Amino acid sequence: MATLQDIGVSAFINILGAFAFLLAFALLRIQPINDRVYFPKWYISGGRSSPGRGGNFVGKFVNLNVKTYFTFLNWMPQALKMTEAEIIDHAGLDSAVFLRIYTLGLKIFVPITILALLILIPVNVSSGTLFFLRKELVMSDIDKLSISNVRPQSIRQVYASAYEEKRKIMIMFFIHIALEYAFTTWICFMLYKEYDHVASMRLRFLASKRRRAEQFTVVVRNVPHVSGRSAVDSVEQFFQTNHPNTYLCQQAVYNANTFAKLVRKRDRLQNWLDYNQLKFERHPDKRPTQNKGFLGLWGERVDSIEYYRQQMKHLEKNMALERQKILKDSKSILPVSFVSFNSRWGAAVCAQTQQSKNPTLWLTNWAPEPRDIYWRNLAIPFMSLTVRKLIISVSVFALVFFYMIPIAFVQSLANLEGLEKVAPFLRPVIELKFIKSFLQGFLPGLALKIFLYILPTVLVIMSKIEGFIAHSTLERRAAAKYYYFMLVNVFLGSIIAGTAFEQLDAFLHQSPTQIPRTIGVSIPMKATFFITYIMIDGWAGIAGEILRLKPLIIFHLKNMFLVKTERDKERAMDPGSVDFPETLPSLQLYFLLGIVYAVVTPILLPFVLVFFAFAYLVYRHQIVNVYNQKYESAAAFWPHVHSRIIASLLISQLLLLGLLSTKKAANSTPLLVILPILTLYFHKYCKSRFEPAFRKYPLEEAMAKDLNDRTTESDLNLKAYLADAYLHPIFRSFEEEELVEVKVEKNKPQPASDRTSELSSPSPPHQANHPSSPPHYVYHPSSPPQHVYNPSSPSHYAYHYENDIYHPPSPPHYAYHYENEP
C-alpha cells in the first residue's frame, strides 16, 4: 500500500510532468508554425488568416519577438476573459454548460473540503484504532486520517473501556453521520440551483435561436409497408390525413452507402487533380507525369492532369448511374422519413404524440439538426435495432468483466505488502526504496490510464453499431457505457481487488466471520490508490490535453507528406471537439470519488479540488481557441450528469452505512437509513420539475415563436427553406460540384475552386438550396415554387448539359440562376 513517501514521489513526478507540459505548450503556442494547431477555432471562424509573424523566411516558422517569451503564461488570464454569454455565442450552449460542470465541482467541494479537513481529520486521528491492528492489517500513515481509524464500539474485549470512552466513540460516529447529512444537503442544494439554471439557459437558448430546420421537422421511423405503394406515398397520405393543417413536405431517406464510397473516391481523385494542377502552375514549362500502374511504380507514363481528369470523368458517370439507380429503385427508399411542418407548433404536436393505434408503427421524434445526423444508421432496418441492442448489451457486460483482469493486475502493483507476505521470494526485487515508491505511488495510476486509453473509442463504435441516428445520442450512450464501466471496474473493482490484495494474509489467517470487518476497515484505505490516479489523470493528463501533442505531431507529419492543396491544409488542421464519451464519465468519476471519500477519507478532497480548478482553466482555453463542436444539442447531456451525481450520493450513503455496521455502531447507524430515501425523493422531484425542458418543447413557446415569425417574416417561403434541409450530404455535395464546374467551364478553363469550410458556429443557419460554392456566385431562389417537392422523383437529381450550359430538369422544383457579384 502506498505510504506518504510513495504519495510524495507520485506528486513530484506528476507535478513535474504537468509543469513540463505547460511550459512546452506555452513555448510551442507562440511559434507561427504551430498557429493552426493551437488556434484552429479562429482560423475556421475567420479570426485568423495567416500564421506568419516575421518578414523573413525564419520568421514564418519561429517567433523572433523576444518579448513574447517573457509573457508565455498570459494564456491563463486570456482564457478567463470571455463571459458565459460570449462563450455561448462563440462555441455554443453545449460548451458553456460543459464548463459549468467544473464550476459546479468547485462550488460543491470547496466548502466540503474545508469542513472535512477541519472537523473529520482531527476526529479520525484522535481514535488511534489502527495502531492496535497493525499486525493484523496492512495499512499506512494516510489511513490514520480515515474513518478506519475510529475504533468499533465492540472493541471492549481488547480495551477495558469505561463509560466515557464509549460515549466518546459514539460522538465520533454521530459527527460522521451529521457531516454526511450536511454534505448531502449542500450537494442537493447546489444541484437544484444548477439544474434550474441550466434548464433556463436551454429554454432561453432555444427561444433566441434563429429559424432552424429541426424546429419544423420530425423524424418518422418504422413506416409500414403497403403493397403497391411506395414509402414516400405512404408518408404523404398519412400526414396529409392526420395533420392536414400543418403538414408541409417530406424528405425521403435512401440507402446510399454504396454511393457514399464513390463520393469519397471522387474526393481523393479531385485532390490529386488539384495537386497536379497547382504543381503545373508553379512550373509551367514542365507538365507533371506519372505511371499508370500500382502506386505509380510501373506501367505506361501518362500526363497526370489528363489522367486524373479522365478518371474523374469515368467515376462521375458511374456516380450518375448509381444515383439514378438509388432514386429509381423503390427498395432503396428506407421506411424512414424527415417530415416538415409549416409551424413549430405543428412539429411539436407530431413529435410528442402517438401517431397510430399500433405503438410500434409511425414512431415520431424530433429530428436532430442536419449536421448531427449519423446518416449511415438510417439504413438500419427497424426490426434489427432490438437485436443490435441486445448484442451490444451482452458485449458491454463481457467487456466489463474482461477488464477486471487488468484492473486486478493494477491493484497488484499498488499493494506490494500483501504480495510480499504471501510470496516472500519477491521481496529482494521490490524492497529497493525508490523502486517500491515508484511502483506503489506512480505506476498503478499510469497502468490504469493506459488500460482505459482505447476504451472510449471501442464504446463509441459499439454505440454506432447499436443504431442511433444522431451523433449526440450515440455519444451520450457511449458516455453512459463508459460511466458504468468506470463505476464497476475503476471504482468498485479497484476497491474489491485492492482489498483482496492488501489483506490477503488477513483473509487467509482469520475466521470467515471477521472478513466483513476487515473489508469495512480496508475500503477507506483505497483512497491512497485513487489519490495517485487523480494525480496521473487529473493533473498530468489535463496538462497533456492542453499541449495537444498528438494533433501537433499529426499536423506536421501531414504537412510534410500529405498536404498538397489548401483543402488538405484545412483537413490537417482538425480542431476536434470536446470528447464527451470520455470526458463526461471521467468528470462523474471525480464527483463520485469526492462525494464517497468526503466523510470516509477526507484527505483525498484537496486532490479533487486541484483537478476541478486546473481542468476548468484548461478546457476553457481549449473551447475558446481550439475545439469546434460537430453539433449542438442544447445541453441535452445535463440530466445524465445530474443523475450520476445523485447516484454518487447514494453510493456514499450506502458505503458509510456499511462501514458503520462493521464497527458495531448500532445506536447511530439507523440514523443513516432515511438519508438515501430523502435523496431519491429529491431526485424524483428534480426529474419531474426540470427534465421535461430537456425532453419536450413547450407548445406555448412554439406558438409564440410562430406568431413572431408571421409578424416579422410574413413573406417567408418555408417550403423552399425546408425542402432539402435533410437531403443526404453526398447528394448535396455532388449537386454543388456539378454546378460549380459548369460555371467555371463557362467562364474560362481553370481548376474548380475549393469549397469553403463550414464556419464555426453554435447554430449555423440552414439556407435551402444554397450551394457552398466559391464566393463569386450569388444564389437567387425562385419565388414562390410552384411544384410540390417530391424527393423520390428521379428528375429532382437529373442533370444534363448542352454546349457547356446547365439545364435543370423540367418541370423544375426550384429554379437556379447565378450571376457574378458586383
Side-chain angles (χ1 to χ4, degrees):
M1 174 179 290
T3 63
L4 279 174
Q5 181 180 355
D6 300 335
I7 298 295
V9 170
S10 178
F12 174 76
I13 294 174
N14 284 289
I15 292 173
L16 186 65
F19 180 78
F21 285 150
L22 291 176
L23 182 63
F25 161 72
L27 296 176
L28 289 172
R29 68 184 285 271
I30 61 177
Q31 308 305 321
I33 194 173
N34 300 324
D35 212 50
R36 290 179 180 268
V37 177
Y38 293 112
F39 300 95
K41 178 85 169 178
W42 297 103
Y43 279 91
I44 294 172
S45 63
R48 287 179 184 244
S49 58
S50 173
R53 295 187 182 179
N56 53 40
F57 178 77
V58 177
K60 295 180 180 179
F61 300 95
V62 180
N63 187 353
L64 302 178
N65 186 355
V66 179
K67 292 182 179 179
T68 58
Y69 288 91
F70 295 98
T71 59
F72 62 89
L73 293 179
N74 64 354
W75 67 270
M76 294 184 181
Q78 287 176 359
L80 300 173
K81 281 184 177 179
M82 270 195 182
T83 64
E84 186 173 73
E86 290 172 338
I87 287 178
I88 292 174
D89 290 336
H90 178 69
L93 186 63
D94 281 346
S95 299
V97 173
F98 172 72
L99 291 175
R100 289 191 68 89
I101 303 176
Y102 292 96
T103 58
L104 175 65
L106 292 172
K107 292 174 184 176
I108 286 176
F109 288 115
V110 166
I112 287 178
T113 301
I114 295 172
L115 276 178
L117 295 182
L118 292 179
I119 298 175
L120 287 180
I121 287 185
V123 168
N124 293 336
V125 171
S126 65
S127 181
T129 298
L130 291 179
F131 174 81
F132 296 97
L133 300 176
R134 183 179 297 272
K135 296 180 181 179
E136 182 182 342
L137 299 175
V138 177
M139 43 142 314
S140 72
D141 291 335
I142 292 178
D143 300 321
K144 296 177 182 177
L145 308 178
S146 73
I147 197 175
S148 297
N149 203 38
V150 179
R151 66 186 67 176
Q153 287 187 358
S154 62
I155 208 161
R156 68 189 68 179
Q157 62 267 26
V158 179
Y159 312 105
S161 295
Y163 173 77
E164 285 299 324
E165 186 68 24
K166 290 190 288 183
R167 184 170 171 270
K168 179 182 176 183
I169 295 173
M170 186 179 300
I171 291 174
M172 289 181 180
F173 287 137
F174 275 119
I175 290 174
H176 285 84
I177 293 172
L179 283 181
E180 181 70 17
Y181 269 91
F183 293 166
T184 299
T185 303
W186 173 249
I187 292 170
C188 288
F189 173 70
M190 294 307 303
L191 283 176
Y192 181 86
K193 287 186 62 177
E194 196 69 18
Y195 212 153
D196 187 16
H197 188 74
V198 172
S200 300
M201 288 175 65
R202 175 181 168 87
L203 292 175
R204 285 197 303 270
F205 179 77
L206 294 175
S208 64
K209 283 175 70 175
R210 294 170 293 177
R211 183 179 59 255
R212 295 296 309 274
E214 64 269 18
Q215 297 171 348
F216 300 87
T217 308
V218 301
V219 59
V220 183
R221 309 189 76 179
N222 210 20
V223 176
H225 174 71
V226 179
S227 180
R229 183 184 298 169
S230 67
V232 174
D233 294 335
S234 296
V235 171
E236 189 87 16
Q237 181 177 358
F238 181 86
F239 283 94
Q240 283 182 347
T241 301
N242 296 285
H243 298 268
N245 299 321
T246 55
Y247 171 71
L248 186 65
C249 61
Q250 65 163 306
Q251 173 63 67
V253 178
Y254 299 88
N255 187 350
N257 291 342
T258 302
F259 187 73
K261 295 178 183 177
L262 296 177
V263 171
R264 289 193 291 269
K265 185 177 180 181
R266 183 201 60 184
D267 290 342
R268 289 194 296 269
L269 290 175
Q270 182 66 53
N271 212 35
W272 280 109
L273 177 60
D274 292 346
Y275 168 68
N276 284 284
Q277 286 176 328
L278 290 173
K279 189 176 179 181
F280 180 58
E281 287 177 7
R282 295 191 187 102
H283 306 284
D285 55 330
K286 184 180 179 182
R287 300 270 302 182
T289 60
Q290 68 178 65
N291 295 324
K292 291 176 67 175
F294 178 71
L295 295 178
L297 298 176
W298 57 74
E300 179 185 354
R301 196 79 179 172
V302 295
D303 182 283
S304 297
I305 295 176
E306 291 301 322
Y307 172 74
Y308 285 112
R309 280 180 177 170
Q310 291 298 322
Q311 291 286 313
M312 288 278 293
K313 186 177 180 180
H314 176 70
L315 182 61
E316 285 174 357
K317 287 181 180 179
N318 292 338
M319 290 174 66
L321 292 174
E322 178 64 25
R323 185 173 57 180
Q324 291 299 318
K325 177 183 175 183
I326 292 171
L327 296 171
K328 289 180 178 179
D329 186 4
S330 61
K331 294 181 180 179
S332 297
I333 302 176
L334 302 174
V336 182
S337 184
F338 292 100
V339 177
S340 297
F341 296 82
N342 59 19
S343 65
R344 296 175 182 84
W345 186 91
V349 170
C350 180
Q352 296 166 183
T353 55
Q354 182 174 318
Q355 303 301 311
S356 172
K357 291 182 291 185
N358 185 344
T360 65
L361 301 176
W362 298 105
L363 304 180
T364 56
N365 218 323
W366 283 107
E369 63 168 322
R371 60 177 176 165
D372 189 19
I373 296 174
Y374 187 64
W375 291 92
R376 186 175 300 179
N377 278 358
L378 288 172
I380 299 174
F382 181 82
M383 293 302 295
S384 70
L385 292 177
T386 304
V387 177
R388 286 169 175 259
K389 289 179 180 179
L390 177 62
I391 294 174
I392 294 301
S393 299
V394 173
S395 301
V396 171
F397 182 80
L399 185 65
V400 167
F401 281 90
F402 168 78
Y403 256 76
M404 287 300 293
I405 299 173
I407 294 296
F409 170 72
V410 167
Q411 290 303 319
S412 70
L413 297 176
N415 305 290
L416 301 180
E417 292 91 341
L419 289 178
E420 284 182 13
K421 291 183 178 181
V422 179
F425 60 88
L426 295 175
R427 188 170 300 167
V429 180
I430 61 180
E431 275 299 321
L432 296 175
K433 194 171 184 180
F434 178 78
I435 293 178
K436 186 173 183 178
S437 295
F438 176 78
L439 288 177
Q440 293 194 143
F442 180 76
L443 192 59
L446 179 62
L448 182 58
K449 181 70 176 172
I450 292 172
F451 281 125
L452 296 177
Y453 182 73
I454 64 168
L455 189 62
T457 303
V458 173
L459 296 177
V460 169
I461 293 173
M462 286 183 169
S463 295
K464 289 180 178 179
I465 295 172
E466 211 167 347
F468 298 106
I469 65 170
H471 289 283
S472 56
T473 305
L474 66 87
E475 287 194 357
R476 287 198 298 273
R477 295 302 302 167
K481 294 180 180 70
Y482 194 34
Y483 170 76
Y484 296 135
F485 179 90
M486 299 278 275
L487 175 63
V488 174
N489 277 18
V490 177
F491 182 69
L492 298 178
S494 295
I495 287 176
I496 295 170
T499 301
F501 275 107
E502 285 172 5
Q503 316 306 339
L504 192 58
D505 185 65
F507 285 166
L508 295 176
H509 296 91
Q510 68 183 6
S511 66
T513 58
Q514 294 299 311
I515 290 179
R517 187 174 72 86
T518 302
I519 295 177
V521 173
S522 303
I523 285 176
M525 299 179 185
K526 288 311 299 172
T528 55
F529 167 75
F530 288 122
I531 287 173
T532 64
Y533 177 76
I534 290 169
M535 288 189 289
I536 289 284
D537 181 70
W539 295 7
I542 293 297
E545 164 68 27
I546 201 171
L547 179 60
R548 302 197 79 217
L549 187 59
K550 180 180 175 182
L552 179 70
I553 294 172
I554 292 176
F555 175 79
H556 287 303
L557 287 176
K558 286 182 176 179
N559 259 342
M560 291 173 60
F561 301 109
L562 299 178
V563 171
K564 301 178 286 294
T565 66
E566 284 299 318
R567 185 183 303 176
D568 284 340
K569 189 175 290 187
E570 288 182 7
R571 291 174 179 173
M573 186 189 66
D574 181 15
S577 58
V578 177
D579 190 6
F580 288 124
E582 180 179 4
T583 311
L584 286 180
S586 298
L587 255 174
Q588 290 151 10
L589 176 67
Y590 286 107
F591 275 103
L592 175 66
L593 294 177
I595 292 172
V596 165
Y597 281 99
V599 174
V600 172
T601 311
I603 194 62
L604 178 138
L605 290 174
F607 297 89
V608 173
L609 270 182
V610 171
F611 160 76
F612 278 111
F614 186 36
Y616 172 73
L617 184 65
V618 167
Y619 277 107
R620 215 175 198 278
H621 174 275
Q622 299 298 80
I623 284 171
V624 170
N625 297 301
V626 180
Y627 292 146
N628 187 38
Q629 291 303 112
K630 297 179 293 186
Y631 58 82
E632 176 60 58
S633 71
F637 56 82
W638 182 259
H640 303 282
V641 175
H642 175 89
S643 298
R644 284 158 198 163
I645 296 177
I646 292 292
S648 301
L649 268 177
L650 292 171
I651 292 172
S652 72
Q653 294 157 6
L654 296 175
L655 177 61
L656 183 60
L657 191 65
L659 283 172
L660 292 180
S661 67
T662 64
K663 292 180 176 292
K664 311 298 182 183
N667 295 328
S668 53
T669 301
L671 296 176
L672 272 176
V673 174
I674 195 174
L675 194 55
I677 299 173
L678 294 175
T679 304
L680 286 172
Y681 180 80
F682 167 77
H683 175 57
K684 183 180 179 182
Y685 173 78
C686 288
K687 189 178 179 69
S688 60
R689 171 66 180 83
F690 300 117
E691 193 167 326
F694 295 83
R695 300 288 177 258
K696 298 176 182 179
Y697 189 51
L699 294 181
E700 179 186 22
E701 182 71 19
M703 181 61 75
K705 294 273 290 182
D706 290 334
L707 292 175
N708 182 66
D709 278 1
R710 290 168 193 164
T711 304
T712 58
E713 298 178 283
S714 57
D715 59 342
L716 172 66
N717 189 343
L718 193 59
K719 182 177 289 188
Y721 175 79
L722 296 171
D724 66 345
Y726 287 91
L727 178 66
H728 198 292
I730 60 172
F731 290 127
R732 190 192 308 278
S733 63
F734 190 51
E735 176 180 326
E736 291 163 4
E737 288 287 341
E738 287 181 334
L739 294 173
V740 171
E741 289 170 5
V742 169
K743 185 65 183 179
V744 170
E745 291 294 330
K746 190 175 179 180
N747 289 331
K748 62 177 181 178
Q750 64 179 20
S753 301
D754 293 329
R755 291 171 295 171
T756 57
S757 300
E758 184 186 43
L759 293 181
S760 170
S761 172
S763 54
H766 167 70
Q767 296 182 357
N769 295 318
H770 193 303
S772 296
S773 52
H776 59 276
Y777 298 136
V778 179
Y779 166 66
H780 299 274
S782 60
S783 178
Q786 301 297 322
H787 300 277
V788 177
Y789 173 72
N790 185 358
S792 65
S793 172
S795 62
H796 181 64
Y797 303 100
Y799 301 93
H800 62 280
Y801 303 87
E802 294 178 7
N803 300 324
D804 290 331
I805 298 176
Y806 163 69
H807 296 272
S810 179
H813 296 283
Y814 307 102
Y816 302 88
H817 67 279
Y818 298 83
E819 66 183 14
N820 293 329
E821 281 186 339

